[in-house]
């Protein structure tokens, strides 16, 4: 499927770095003027990356990415599929399923997004 | 000579650490030696992600205080093919120091005006630095957490408007489980892809590879 690109293009380029005399005081002053002097607060708000597997009863895939057991990440099958009232190529069905698994959402969620988009 | 990248944004949670680990992983799995410099006081890279048992031996991680970034880069330079600096999410010294040390600043931004404002601020700072400094630093925005399936109208509009307003966007990283899984499994995308362990890992790896190639292209264009 989507093979990563050739190795050669992923080797970092060689950066020439002659020692240059930087006016450090000037660059520091610039950073200050641009508002980069305040001392920092914490970074990202704590998102529970390593919480135990969460399988919500509605199968809405709330636990996306947090499950440590890969199998359990899939919403249960009966909630995952929506009985689309039309004939659909198996490849399209498979792709839909793939999108849902990838995003940890059910097909019902996907449909809702689709409707919202065209409303 | 070492290629130095800074994941630079004053916005917390925009994806700096995610991007740092993803890019470092793709470089490492393609044979480069990588140093991740974690300048976030919470030391997530070193304490939570890095595990010598599960992470490639091509990758090393060190933590530094913001004020020591320049020193750390100076001491480690030329021992690695790539150095990636990850900072904490605020407009502090760490960010300014990381930008100063870098060849290439990557600014992850979610598709929202709030995130874009922060991204623009970093971008403007790098521009003004470039006008004063003898060394040119690249600065590009990376859209992060873009839904892979359907984009809302607002999102599409925001993306188009940003580009129309001259914001320089180098690539798109989608919302994918694989990026979270790197931290859950203390791993990199190449390993998560193996055996299809995490379904979205192959796609994530491809888009990060594209991002890396785009960076190299920009470096080449500027050098020419
Ligand atoms: N492309 C992505 N897909 C899925 N989750 C993401 C993505 N980028 C970031 N995240 C999640 O968003 C949260 C914040 O990201 P992080 O990289 O820690 O931000 P920062 O380092 O800028 O504070 C984390 O929980 C991370 O897993
Ligand atoms: Mg971080």
């Amino acid at each position: 499927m989507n093979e990563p690109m050739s190795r050669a293009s992923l080797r970092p380029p060689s950066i020439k770095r002659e020692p240059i005399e930087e006016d450090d005081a000037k660059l520091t002053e610039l950073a200050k003027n641009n508002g980069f002097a305040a001392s920092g607060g914490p970074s990202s708000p704590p998102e529970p990356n390593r919480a135990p597997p969460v399988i919500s009863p509605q199968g809405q895939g709330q636990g996306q990415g947090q499950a440590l057991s890969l199998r359990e990440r899939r919403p249960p099958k009966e909630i995952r599929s929506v009985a689309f009232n039309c004939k659909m190529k198996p490849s399209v069905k498979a792709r839909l399923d793939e999108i849902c698994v990838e995003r940890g959402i059910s097909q019902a969620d996907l449909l809702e997004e689709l409707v919202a988009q065209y409303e | 000579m070492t290629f130095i990248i800074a994941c630079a944004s004053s916005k917390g949670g925009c994806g700096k650490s995610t991007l740092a680990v993803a890019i470092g992983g793709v470089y490492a799995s393609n044979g480069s030696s990588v140093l991740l410099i974690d300048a976030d006081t919470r030391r997530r890279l070193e304490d939570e992600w890095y595990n010598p048992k599960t992470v490639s031996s091509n990758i090393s991680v060190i933590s530094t205080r913001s004020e020591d970034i320049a020193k750390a880069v100076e001491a480690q330079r030329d021992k690695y093919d790539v150095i990636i600096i990850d900072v904490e999410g605020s407009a502090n010294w760490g960010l300014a120091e990381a930008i100063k040390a870098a060849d290439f600043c990557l600014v992850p931004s979610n598709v929202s005006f709030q995130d874009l404002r922060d991204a623009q601020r970093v971008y403007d700072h790098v521009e003004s630095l470039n006008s004063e400094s003898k060394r040119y630093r690249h600065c590009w925005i990376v859209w992060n957490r873009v839904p892979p399936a359907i984009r809302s109208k607002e999102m599409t509009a925001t993306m188009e408007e940003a580009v129309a307003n001259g914001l320089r966007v180098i690539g798109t990283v989608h919302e994918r489980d694989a990026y979270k899984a790197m931290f859950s499994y203390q791993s990199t995308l190449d390993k998560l892809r193996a055996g299809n362990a995490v379904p979205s890992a192959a796609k994530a790896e491809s888009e990060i590879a594209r991002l890396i190639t785009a960076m190299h292209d920009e470096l080449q264009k500027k050098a020419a």
Side-chain angles (χ1 to χ4, degrees), chain A residues 18-80:
Chain A
E18 280 98 40
I20 38 173
E21 286 297 306
E22 288 270 37
D23 188 344
D24 211 64
K26 202 157 147 198
L27 299 190
T28 300
E29 190 57 35
L30 203 63
K32 261 188 202 150
N33 291 343
N34 286 340
F36 286 84
S39 73
S43 190
S44 69
E47 224 179 282
N49 257 329
R50 290 214 248 166
V54 183
I55 309 289
S56 69
Q58 279 76 36
Q60 301 290 302
Q62 247 98 44
Q64 32 174 312
Q66 277 128 46
L68 287 173
S69 152
L70 290 174
R71 275 274 125 226
E72 284 160 358
R73 191 156 315 145
R74 259 167 183 257
K77 193 161 186 107
E78 57 288 3
I79 336 175
R80 203 168 67 231

Side-chain angles (χ1 to χ4, degrees), chain A residues 43-44, chain B residues 13-18 44 144-145 174 176 180:
Chain A
S43 190
S44 69
Chain B
C14 66
K16 294 179 292 297
S17 303
T18 302
R44 273 190 72 213
N144 188 24
R145 304 192 79 161
H174 290 95
R176 297 187 198 277
K180 290 180 188 296

Side-chain angles (χ1 to χ4, degrees), chain A residues 70-111:
Chain A
L70 290 174
R71 275 274 125 226
E72 284 160 358
R73 191 156 315 145
R74 259 167 183 257
K77 193 161 186 107
E78 57 288 3
I79 336 175
R80 203 168 67 231
S81 299
V82 169
F84 288 101
N85 196 13
C86 59
K87 264 217 160 73
M88 201 183 279
K89 277 202 277 187
S91 63
V92 175
K93 261 208 163 90
R95 178 71 192 117
L96 267 178
D97 200 38
E98 203 184 308
I99 292 170
C100 291
V101 171
E102 216 170 72
R103 303 186 52 195
I105 61 175
S106 69
Q107 290 192 353
D109 291 339
L110 195 65
L111 270 182

